[in-house]
């Protein structure tokens, strides 16, 4: 999931709504340091935090983690073809 730039997405969405890291931390009842680690790519939020962040930012979890089912299908398809050829 790190390849999906989750931290950058959290940062961008947080800035878009005008919240500080402290605001996000308070909303999620976690430390500001945890939010900072996510945004810097040092760690990833647990799934329950992703769901709450998606609601707060008014985006889907897929949007939040920059996931596209189509691109994932293509990647998996390429890997399968290369293994079986």
């Amino acid at each position: 999931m790190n390849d999906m730039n989750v931290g950058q997405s959290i940062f961008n969405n947080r800035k878009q709504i005008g919240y500080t890291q402290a605001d996000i931390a308070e909303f999620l009842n976690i430390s500001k340091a945890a939010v900072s680690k996510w945004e810097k790519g040092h760690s990833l939020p647990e799934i329950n935090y992703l769901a709450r962040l998606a609601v707060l930012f008014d985006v889907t979890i897929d949007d939040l983690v920059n996931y596209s089912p189509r691109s994932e299908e293509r990647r998996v398809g390429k890997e399968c073809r290369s293994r079986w050829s």
Side-chain angles (χ1 to χ4, degrees), residues 40-55:
K40 291 178 181 179
H42 297 283
S43 66
L44 293 169
E46 294 177 14
I47 189 68
N48 59 314
Y49 294 133
L50 287 177
R52 294 184 66 201
L53 286 169
V55 169

Side-chain angles (χ1 to χ4, degrees), residues 1-59:
M1 200 183 301
N2 272 332
D3 295 338
M4 296 180 193
N5 294 315
V6 175
Q8 186 65 48
S9 179
I10 292 171
F11 173 82
N12 291 342
N13 279 285
R14 175 177 65 78
K15 288 293 189 178
Q16 188 172 6
I17 64 172
Y19 277 31
T20 65
Q21 288 180 344
D23 293 330
I24 300 297
E26 184 178 339
F27 175 75
L28 297 174
N29 197 29
I30 59 172
S31 71
K32 179 181 166 275
V35 177
S36 177
K37 287 180 183 179
W38 297 342
E39 290 184 357
K40 291 178 181 179
H42 297 283
S43 66
L44 293 169
E46 294 177 14
I47 189 68
N48 59 314
Y49 294 133
L50 287 177
R52 294 184 66 201
L53 286 169
V55 169
L56 177 65
F57 299 146
D58 193 29
V59 298

